[in-house]
Amino acid sequence: MKYIFGFLLVFVYSQSIAQELVTSNTCAQCHRSDGVVLSVEGEDVSPVGGWMASVMAFASQDPYWRAKMAAEVADRPNMKAEIEAECLTCHAPVATAAARADGTPYSREKLEGHALGLDGVTCLSCHRIAPEALGTKAGMSGNFEWVKDETVYGPYKDPLQRPMLMHTGFIPRFGTHIESSELCAACHNLDTPIFDANDKVIGQFPEQTVYSEWLASGYAEAGETCQQCHMPGLSNDSRIALMPPFARVRNTVWNHRIVGGNTFLLSLLKYKRDAFGVSRGEFDFEKTIEDTRAFLASAVELNLDVQSGPDSVDVVVQLTNLTGHKFPTGYPERRAWLHVRVEDEQGQVVFESGAVDSLGNIRNETAVMPHRDLINSDRQVQIYEMIPANFNGERTRRLLRVYSKIKDNRLLPNGFREHGSKYSKDVRVVGEAIKDRNFNHEEGSDQVTYRFAKPLKGSLRVSCELIYQSVPPGAIEDLRRFDGQDVLQFLQIVKNAIPPMYEVVVNATEI
């Protein structure tokens, strides 16, 4: 009888907890390293340990995202509730789910001091998503379904259930979808409303299409998922839980740092956290920044060929995208460009395109730099980017003013089929790149020729680098048109000494 009574106590206790959506601190009781267990050669390989210094963990504390959301609200104040609810759905998903369960929308004001909201994209954000709607439009743009019971999905077929049930009220279960790209599509495919001149919604704009790009690539056809690159399995045998002591050793433990390319945000969090308040006290941003830079370095291959003619020199640059989506991908402001510099024997610059200053401004940049196959002037720059336009066909940085695209020449993934997926219209090439025969869909590559007059004598030193930028200066300048605490706070952070606003992805030199 005492065992039955004990079981009922656990059951009632578990059910009461299951009504609450817990923070990462609850999960950290078992899924964070103590320095020995869940460590391999001194490196913390625990799920929570890796996640704590990730972009995901600080999704709701990202000062740039907060400023952009505030600017969108200031631009359309009558839509404040809708804008904040939509943004917070993916940047604070568990807190949003909890608010919706209570019948109220989540808002920016509720985020302050709210542990569940400040947890960002926390453990339950992914592990509580139900599989039914994944991979469909209904399951994207943050409209994913949550499981109705106490289930927490994981990648292992034989999880120990009772310890988690007793401590959290949740039951771990195996779910094949937890390792699928469709899970990531829940937030990383995002549509925003298109308004006509009378502010009437007339459609949806594909603001982010990471999943759609992958779906149209050879990676999807080969069955290679987002997680295989962004959460690579650590092959060393390790446990994933401190407790119980008899927790199983796993052959593969998934890396929860979930790195991408946003070193700018990570650097802001590292150097400027006191300016805007970071809720957690223990995190290793330096390791995540290091991993992110290494990850970026593996994203693109660059080959350089210098061809000297009688009167001119051609520098032929070949770029090949090694990622499973466009490069760069995600938020529209992100861009990459080629910086080519040619010097003579005395170190004097003979030709240069794409030079950048310490604040990330590209020399000779204009509002829209067209895609080019041949560059023969230092005023021409090859920039890979997606540029949105408003209803009048002008470039806009306001997401809720976007009507169409002016340009999308981002490097395509290998095996890209522009008409090969159900979301083809969302990922097609836009602008001059359509006519460029060296902009290769099948190989995911682009070849650009730089031509300049040949010096009378002497050898040349040619260097080329591909530069990536997650937040361009133009995006920051655009925010200066708006007031509000979040905007002013971000501008104050970047006003003084800040980390470099760009990263060199890959480079090559030839003499």
Side-chain angles (χ1 to χ4, degrees), residues 383-419:
I383 306 177
Y384 299 98
E385 59 190 342
M386 188 269 273
I387 299 181
N390 60 23
F391 190 75
N392 297 319
E394 304 161 334
R395 178 174 189 165
T396 180
R397 298 185 187 274
R398 300 271 68 74
L399 295 179
L400 294 185
R401 297 288 175 184
V402 175
Y403 180 78
S404 61
K405 298 178 185 178
I406 296 175
K407 173 188 177 184
D408 189 351
N409 71 330
R410 293 172 293 165
L411 291 170
L412 303 173
N414 182 272
F416 185 78
R417 299 155 295 144
E418 187 160 299
H419 303 290

Side-chain angles (χ1 to χ4, degrees), residues 185-205:
C187 282
H188 291 283
N189 249 43
L190 173 63
D191 290 341
T192 51
I194 298 175
F195 296 89
D196 65 11
N198 298 314
D199 282 348
K200 179 183 177 181
V201 177
I202 57 173
Q204 296 290 317
F205 178 77

Side-chain angles (χ1 to χ4, degrees), residues 210-352:
V210 188
Y211 170 75
S212 296
E213 295 158 18
W214 169 85
L215 196 64
S217 76
Y219 292 85
E221 197 169 14
E224 298 181 43
T225 66
C226 308
Q227 291 88 332
Q228 286 174 273
C229 290
H230 292 274
M231 298 182 66
L234 305 170
S235 59
N236 304 75
D237 292 346
S238 177
R239 289 161 52 181
I240 63 164
L242 288 171
M243 299 295 291
F246 51 84
R248 296 184 178 96
V249 172
R250 301 295 184 181
N251 293 328
T252 302
V253 178
W254 303 104
N255 189 329
H256 279 67
R257 287 190 188 274
I258 319 177
V259 296
N262 199 348
T263 57
F264 177 59
L265 167 58
L266 291 165
S267 297
L268 286 179
L269 292 168
K270 177 187 175 186
Y271 295 110
K272 297 294 183 179
R273 57 181 180 245
D274 293 340
F276 52 88
V278 167
S279 60
R280 290 175 212 89
E282 300 175 35
F283 25 72
D284 185 2
F285 289 127
E286 192 58 54
K287 173 61 176 171
T288 308
I289 292 171
E290 177 186 326
D291 288 354
T292 301
R293 287 190 172 128
F295 193 64
L296 270 174
S298 70
V300 179
E301 181 181 278
L302 187 156
N303 290 300
L304 193 60
D305 183 28
V306 180
Q307 303 169 0
S308 182
D311 303 311
S312 63
V313 177
D314 283 359
V315 175
V316 182
V317 180
Q318 179 86 16
L319 294 175
T320 303
N321 181 8
L322 303 179
T323 73
H325 44 67
K326 292 186 179 184
F327 183 86
T329 190
Y331 190 69
E333 295 286 7
R334 296 171 182 172
R335 63 182 186 171
W337 69 91
L338 284 169
H339 174 212
V340 174
R341 181 183 175 94
V342 182
E343 299 175 354
D344 62 18
E345 289 181 340
Q346 286 72 45
Q348 297 298 311
V349 177
V350 174
F351 177 87
E352 188 168 25

Side-chain angles (χ1 to χ4, degrees), residues 106-169:
Y106 202 56
S107 66
R108 171 66 182 86
E109 288 78 11
K110 292 180 180 179
L111 190 61
E112 289 303 321
H114 185 210
L116 203 57
L118 294 176
D119 237 12
V121 181
T122 186
C123 312
L124 297 185
S125 304
C126 298
H127 291 277
R128 288 274 290 166
I129 293 179
E132 285 75 18
L134 294 180
T136 69
K137 279 288 187 181
M140 297 176 188
S141 298
N143 297 318
F144 45 81
E145 294 289 333
W146 289 74
V147 289
K148 300 297 191 293
D149 58 19
E150 67 278 11
T151 295
V152 170
Y153 286 109
Y156 303 110
K157 294 182 178 179
D158 56 347
L160 290 173
Q161 294 186 331
R162 183 165 295 182
M164 186 179 290
L165 175 63
M166 292 180 64
H167 287 283
T168 69

Side-chain angles (χ1 to χ4, degrees), residues 337 339 352 354-363 465 467 469 502:
W337 69 91
H339 174 212
E352 188 168 25
V356 59
D357 65 21
S358 60
L359 294 178
N361 296 291
I362 304 174
R363 188 190 303 167
E465 55 189 9
I467 300 175
Q469 194 169 54
Y502 57 88

